[in-house]
Amino acid sequence: MRANEDKTVNYGAIGSGGGIRSLRDHSVDFGASDAFLNEEEIMTMNGEVIHIATCMGGVVMAYTLEGVDSLRLSGRLISDIYLGKIEKWNDPRIVIENPNIKLPDLDITPVYRSDGSGTTFNFSEYLSVVSPEWSRVMGKGKSLKWPAGIAAKGNPGVAGIVQQTEGAIGYIGSEYALTLRLPTAKLKNRAGNYVDATLETISAAANVRLPDNMRATITDSEDPNAYPISLFTWILVYKDQSYDNRTYEEAQDIVELLEYVISPDGQKVAAQINYAPLSEQALEKNRRLIEQINYGGLPITP
Amino acid sequence: MKDKIFRFLLFFAALIILLLTAGIIFALVSRSTEAFQEYGFWGFITNPEWDPRPATEEYGALSFIIGTLYTAFFALFLCIPFSLSVALFNGEYFKGKKISSFVRSIVDLLAGIPSIVYGLWGFYAIRPLVIDLGVNAQGFGIFLSSIVLAIMIIPYASSLSTEFISMVPNKLKEGAYSLGATQLEVIKNISLPTAGSGIVASYILALGRALGETMAVTMLIGNTDRIPKGLRDTGNTMASVIANQFGEADGLKLSSLIAIGLLLFVITAIINLVAKLVMKKVASI
């Protein structure tokens, strides 16, 4: 499917919270988020909302350590670092995972997001899966209560501090880190392999059984090549497009946009900006979901 | 006729300012009631917890109030020797000289630099020095923010102090000189005591400026939602927590952030009022 040059999409990068709020108020045609709506949030929307996965991303651990250009970490280590239980880079627990590297006797400065963020949600969701202690003490969410480290706003804020601070480590959206080519740690996945975040390893994380409504987290994937902190990013639209005097043509435009996003052309654009393409299984489920979008019960056909 | 129109325009302009201020206060009060109803006024400002997780959601302003007072007062402390010497330089030693107007315009220039530029300068130039000093491992925190804040408020503190010092009546000083006092003795015993409350007022205004500074502090303080344990620790100020968390906030968190905004508004208003009162006292001398 080709891009339609006659139509313009206005996208406001106001954060997913703002996007969801605007969708609830019917002031936008669709919202987008890196975290799917939970049952409670779905209930507050003015109508049934469906989630269309548009592409995949990851959360990477960027760090700055002079002379260390390859670092291996596990979920447990990341959890201990952010809980303030590992404070030095040459802690034996890190050394065991990195036997061939000389790690300095230097304080670790964990950096996290000061603003609410889907990146924080996916990062903490992963740590909740792999670390019982994290699950108990921290939990998962778009913003948390942090016992250690310092905070900065947005991916650029975290990346800026990590790049400029010897001994810092921070979690950053993979699309941002891959574009900047920041040094990032290899993470130990469920199969025990250490993997870099690349478009291929992120896509591989979706090689699991996905639910029909596509509302799934895919962290700590079973696939042996998968990058462990991978995620879908979704567009949220109302299933019935006939609200607020909208026209049938407007509904057609939305469906056409969604079909373009999941078409090979659309997915190619995603890869150009370092988002990983969707697997065939995910694309198929997406198509089923888009078919359900209707106009007061009428099917929407081009 | 023209006169009447002009009068009306002025009246109208003044009225708009009043209405705008009232509108800001109304918006702050009405949108912060949710937080104050939930926790109570004292409960909100004495609670150090800031926990945004839905299951254990709880918001209190204490850690940000302490962070704000900590950075602002330490900045004020750091700025006194510099702004006082600038004021004496311009208002006493080189009063009316070319060099004085040159120094004055340079200091005024400091006030015109956007705060994000101060933030960048603190981040790239001062932070490495703070790390080398061994304050803490990453440089961010109360100490770094206060240093940069101190430089930002020097022009506010010094330009007013200069005015007050140069306003000290010449006959007082001449009297002292005729008794054989040295210039240092004149400053110590005549100029500073006479201009004293005016100088105090200018430092109060500078403090007000330090309390509300947002961008530079946000970039340098570390943004941690805890009570800072000391100068070496990181923290958050009332202004910086709003700047950091406003975007994604909703519900009780949004209301709590607006409540912090209201508190900051009230604190700054009180500070300005106090400075005005002190200055009035000077003017009446």
Side-chain angles (χ1 to χ4, degrees), chain A residues 14-18 21 107 109 112 114-117 137-139 142-153 160-161 164-165, chain B residues 48-54 123-124 127 131 137-138 140 218-219 222-226 234 243-250 253-254:
Chain A
I14 58 169
S16 56
R21 227 168 20 232
D107 283 347
T109 301
Y112 56 89
S114 61
D115 49 335
S117 162
V137 179
M138 299 289 288
K142 287 185 180 181
S143 40
L144 302 169
K145 185 174 157 57
W146 302 85
I150 57 172
K153 196 175 176 184
I161 289 182
Q164 296 294 328
T165 309
Chain B
E49 280 293 306
W50 186 268
D51 188 345
R53 294 171 295 181
F123 188 95
Y124 287 106
R127 192 170 68 101
I131 296 174
Q138 23 70 20
F140 294 102
T218 307
M219 292 170 77
N223 304 312
T224 49
D225 305 334
R226 298 183 298 266
T234 55
N244 269 303
Q245 306 195 2
F246 191 73
E248 282 271 325
D250 57 6
K253 185 177 183 182
L254 185 59

Side-chain angles (χ1 to χ4, degrees), chain A residues 62-66 109 111 155-170 172 176-177 179-184, chain B residues 123-124 127 140:
Chain A
Y63 65 93
T64 299
L65 270 182
E66 207 183 310
T109 301
V111 188
N155 279 323
V158 174
I161 289 182
V162 170
Q163 277 182 303
Q164 296 294 328
T165 309
E166 186 65 20
I169 185 165
I172 297 172
Y176 193 83
T179 310
L180 281 188
R181 297 174 200 278
L182 298 174
T184 58
Chain B
F123 188 95
Y124 287 106
R127 192 170 68 101
F140 294 102

Side-chain angles (χ1 to χ4, degrees), chain A:
Chain A
M1 188 169 173
R2 293 246 154 233
N4 183 345
E5 311 262 323
D6 300 332
K7 305 275 182 191
T8 319
V9 180
N10 288 318
Y11 175 76
I14 58 169
S16 56
I20 292 164
R21 227 168 20 232
S22 304
L23 187 66
R24 183 185 301 145
D25 308 339
H26 291 174
S27 56
V28 293
D29 296 316
F30 63 88
S33 175
D34 285 350
F36 60 79
L37 300 185
N38 60 32
E39 294 301 329
E40 212 174 292
E41 287 169 315
I42 281 189
M43 297 307 284
T44 66
M45 302 303 281
N46 292 311
E48 192 183 342
V49 167
I50 53 172
H51 292 66
I52 310 290
T54 54
C55 53
M56 299 178 63
V59 178
V60 301
M61 303 307 300
Y63 65 93
T64 299
L65 270 182
E66 207 183 310
V68 178
D69 45 18
S70 157
L71 181 71
R72 292 167 152 196
L73 290 175
S74 66
R76 286 289 182 92
L77 283 179
I78 298 170
S79 168
D80 283 347
I81 288 171
Y82 273 87
L83 286 171
K85 297 173 75 184
I86 296 181
E87 296 181 323
K88 292 272 184 191
W89 278 107
N90 62 354
D91 188 287
R93 286 168 281 187
I94 304 182
V95 173
I96 287 174
E97 304 267 348
N98 297 280
N100 303 322
I101 301 170
K102 177 138 180 49
L103 288 158
D105 175 22
L106 185 70
D107 283 347
I108 304 177
T109 301
V111 188
Y112 56 89
R113 290 281 291 269
S114 61
D115 49 335
S117 162
T119 311
T120 304
F121 175 84
N122 283 288
F123 175 72
S124 58
E125 200 273 338
Y126 164 69
L127 292 179
S128 294
V129 170
V130 296
S131 157
E133 189 182 6
W134 183 277
S135 170
R136 197 178 65 244
V137 179
M138 299 289 288
K140 59 182 175 185
K142 287 185 180 181
S143 40
L144 302 169
K145 185 174 157 57
W146 302 85
I150 57 172
K153 196 175 176 184
N155 279 323
V158 174
I161 289 182
V162 170
Q163 277 182 303
Q164 296 294 328
T165 309
E166 186 65 20
I169 185 165
Y171 63 89
I172 297 172
S174 61
E175 68 288 353
Y176 193 83
L178 290 174
T179 310
L180 281 188
R181 297 174 200 278
L182 298 174
T184 58
K186 284 183 166 62
L187 296 194
K188 193 183 204 168
N189 66 14
R190 192 147 170 190
N193 300 321
Y194 291 91
V195 275
D196 269 319
T198 63
L199 299 190
E200 292 73 32
T201 59
I202 290 171
S203 283
N207 294 335
V208 290
R209 243 189 74 80
L210 298 169
D212 288 339
N213 63 16
M214 283 303 282
R215 289 170 57 215
T217 51
I218 43 169
T219 51
D220 202 30
S221 166
E222 285 160 2
D223 189 281
N225 299 316
Y227 181 72
I229 324 181
S230 300
L231 55 105
F232 287 121
T233 177
W234 291 274
I235 279 184
L236 281 59
V237 290
Y238 285 110
K239 196 162 165 181
D240 182 352
Q241 288 286 312
S242 65
Y243 57 90
D244 276 12
N245 301 324
R246 284 161 70 86
T247 62
Y248 187 75
E249 284 69 37
E250 284 174 322
Q252 277 179 315
D253 286 346
I254 289 286
V255 168
E256 212 173 297
L257 171 69
L258 293 174
E259 280 172 348
Y260 168 70
V261 166
I262 64 163
S263 70
D265 273 14
Q267 292 290 299
K268 219 185 283 167
V269 173
Q272 283 163 7
I273 51 170
N274 287 316
Y275 277 101
L278 295 168
S279 64
E280 192 42 53
Q281 185 201 176
L283 289 171
E284 185 52 37
K285 305 234 169 194
N286 268 335
R287 282 185 208 111
R288 292 273 153 74
L289 285 167
I290 293 174
E291 278 166 17
Q292 291 178 20
I293 300 177
N294 60 71
Y295 186 80
L298 289 174
I300 295 170
T301 47

